Amino acid sequence: MKKLALIFGVISILLFIKPVLGLTTSATNTTTTEISTTTTTSEENFITEAFDGIKQFYAYTGFANAQSGHIIMIIIGIVFIYLGIKFDYEPLLLIPIGTGVIIGNIPFVVGNQTGIYETGSVLNYLYFGVVKGIYPPLIFLGIGAMTDFSSLIANPKLMLLGAAAQIGVFGTFLGALYLGFALPEAGAIGIIGGADGPTAIFLSSKLANGINILPDGTTVKNLIGPIAIAAYSYMALVPVIQPPIMKLLTTKKERLIKMKPPRAVSQKEKMIFPVAALLLTTFISPSALPLLGMLFFGNLLKESGRTERLAETARTKLIDIVTILLGVTVGASTQADIFITKDSMLIFGLGAISFVIATMGGLLFAKLMNVFLKGDEKINPLIGASGVSAVPDSARVVHAEGLKADPTNYLLMHAMAPNVAGVIGSAIAAGILLSFLA
């Protein structure tokens, strides 16, 4: 009993002395310190990781990667959209292109399959139709299905005005050579003078695609974007560019000339024309077959009377879809680092000059034709300006200028003849250039 009391007493004393000696407090303090240190370290790590995450997020945003070129191109895209909406300048073209320009110039980190030139990106797949020249023939199919060649069939001599306007193509070609562009590049730039966007894209995709190798071993420049934007820009600006030239090169008396109504064209003639024109034009310029073949095929669908459903699809749903894809991808191809170059500025300058030359060529040739025509066979020189391929805007501008001179003078049907002839002529010119320069 005494032994148990002694043991219990010793244990009690030890339990009492332990807190007094600070043993328990020391252990508790140590544990508390460790917990406090661990908590502080965890908080610091969390804050550091949070800031690193924010920095990484910012590095991937457009704000971190934006350059002055991106801002300039985005403003240009907004201007295109504004012109299309506010002034109705080719809205079906300028609004998709303007939106594409904005899309193509949103800053991004290279290597994430975002940009139109990055292999594997969605935009790159859509751009395939431009690079390989797939979209332009489909556009021509739709144009053929909505075009009435009656005015041209009724007065075939007006086809000469469409041919005369192609002087702008070959004049620009020579100008591009003078400025130092390689032969294929100059050929692609030259077609801007035809004021035909799909043809310009088709030819540049074959000649100035950034892939072909020149005889000296260098690679041709990729000029598809600048050429396409220039061509469509000047097409949209037809109501601004052409009227001053028309007034400058024609007299009041010439603008008052009334042309006799075109003869009625039979349905049989309308059906024969696309087949005959297809054979004639493609035998002259086989390289233009993708464009001319689809153009006259579309027209045959329209005029045959048996394929109205196909013709309706070609001139509505199909051409609308392709126009959207073409406009957006062409616009997106104008990435600032590729588009804002000296070459692009030269191309725009040459494009403006070529459009003026083409308009002058049609007007002056119409005046020349009148030297050999008598009486009511004379033509109003204004319709010569519609020889460029901007269908039907150029014909509408001619009609509007004719009404300003004489409110009873209706030139639209007459102007459509050289206008559609210009489409055919620019495609033939593209085929000729492709034959010699490819």
Side-chain angles (χ1 to χ4, degrees):
M1 189 67 181
K2 292 181 179 180
K3 291 181 179 180
L4 289 174
L6 180 63
I7 294 170
F8 180 79
V10 171
I11 293 173
S12 299
I13 293 171
L14 290 174
L15 290 174
F16 177 78
I17 293 174
K18 186 176 179 181
V20 174
L21 294 175
L23 298 175
T24 302
T25 305
S26 176
T28 303
N29 288 343
T30 302
T31 303
T32 304
T33 303
E34 290 175 354
I35 293 172
S36 176
T37 304
T38 302
T39 303
T40 304
T41 303
S42 298
E43 290 177 353
E44 291 176 351
N45 289 340
F46 174 78
I47 294 172
T48 302
E49 289 175 1
F51 274 109
D52 289 343
I54 293 172
K55 289 178 181 179
Q56 187 174 5
F57 168 76
Y58 178 75
Y60 280 97
T61 65
F63 300 103
N65 297 283
Q67 299 177 2
S68 58
H70 295 129
I71 306 304
I72 293 171
M73 292 307 302
I74 288 173
I75 292 173
I76 290 174
I78 293 172
V79 170
F80 274 28
I81 295 172
Y82 175 78
L83 292 174
I85 295 174
K86 178 68 175 180
F87 298 103
D88 198 30
Y89 289 166
E90 288 286 353
L92 298 181
L93 295 175
L94 287 192
I95 292 176
I97 290 175
T99 305
V101 171
I102 295 174
I103 291 172
N105 285 280
I106 299 298
F108 60 89
V109 176
V110 177
N112 287 337
Q113 294 186 344
T114 302
I116 196 168
Y117 295 108
E118 292 190 297
T119 303
S121 71
V122 174
L123 287 174
N124 184 257
Y125 283 121
L126 295 177
Y127 191 52
F128 182 84
V130 175
V131 175
K132 296 300 181 182
I134 297 171
Y135 295 148
L138 295 177
I139 294 286
F140 264 65
L141 174 64
I143 292 173
M146 66 174 67
T147 300
D148 186 353
F149 287 101
S150 297
S151 56
L152 184 60
I153 298 171
N155 199 350
K157 66 176 177 287
L158 296 183
M159 185 179 292
L160 296 174
L161 297 177
Q166 305 312 311
I167 188 175
V169 172
F170 298 99
T172 309
F173 170 66
L174 295 176
L177 286 178
Y178 177 77
L179 292 176
F181 287 96
L183 272 172
E185 297 163 356
I189 294 169
I191 207 65
I192 298 174
D196 189 335
T199 303
I201 293 172
F202 177 79
L203 191 61
S204 58
S205 71
K206 303 298 181 184
L207 297 180
N209 52 19
I211 299 173
N212 297 345
I213 306 298
L214 296 171
D216 62 1
T218 60
T219 305
V220 296
K221 299 172 184 175
N222 185 353
L223 302 177
I224 298 175
I227 290 173
I229 296 296
Y232 278 119
S233 297
Y234 294 124
M235 285 175 63
L237 293 175
V238 163
V240 177
I241 297 174
Q242 285 198 317
I245 303 172
M246 295 160 71
K247 292 177 182 177
L248 178 65
L249 296 182
T250 58
T251 65
K252 177 71 173 178
K253 182 179 179 181
E254 288 174 328
R255 292 194 290 272
L256 291 173
I257 294 176
K258 285 190 175 183
M259 300 174 63
K260 65 178 182 179
R263 68 174 180 84
V265 177
S266 68
Q267 189 61 33
K268 183 181 292 186
E269 288 178 290
K270 292 181 180 181
M271 288 189 291
I272 293 174
F273 177 79
V275 177
L278 171 62
L279 293 172
L280 178 62
T281 56
T282 54
F283 268 72
I284 293 173
S285 181
S287 296
L289 182 59
L291 299 177
L292 294 172
M294 298 301 274
L295 175 71
F296 293 121
F297 171 52
N299 189 246
L300 183 60
L301 292 176
K302 173 181 180 292
E303 303 296 354
S304 67
R306 303 293 183 182
T307 54
E308 181 56 31
R309 195 173 76 184
L310 299 180
E312 180 67 18
T313 299
R315 65 173 167 256
T316 54
K317 299 178 181 66
L318 179 61
I319 196 171
D320 289 344
I321 292 171
V322 177
T323 298
I324 290 171
L325 294 176
L326 183 66
V328 172
T329 51
V330 163
S333 70
T334 62
Q335 285 184 192
D337 56 338
I338 293 175
F339 188 81
I340 302 181
T341 63
K342 176 184 175 182
D343 289 339
S344 295
M345 300 304 105
L346 291 175
I347 288 170
F348 268 82
L350 287 170
I353 295 171
S354 70
F355 198 82
V356 171
I357 293 174
T359 301
M360 293 175 62
L363 288 166
L364 295 175
F365 196 82
K367 292 164 70 80
L368 178 63
M369 288 177 66
N370 276 343
V371 174
F372 303 96
L373 298 174
K374 306 296 182 183
D376 60 359
E377 292 294 325
K378 286 185 177 293
I379 60 177
N380 190 313
L382 288 177
I383 70 171
S386 64
V388 298
S389 306
V391 179
D393 295 290
S394 189
R396 289 174 181 166
V397 170
V398 168
H399 180 66
E401 291 302 311
L403 290 177
K404 288 179 183 178
D406 180 359
T408 65
N409 194 5
Y410 297 95
L411 296 175
L412 183 60
M413 286 304 297
H414 300 291
M416 282 302 298
N419 209 185
V420 296
V423 175
I424 299 171
S426 65
I428 292 175
I432 292 172
L433 290 170
L434 187 58
S435 298
F436 282 95
L437 304 177

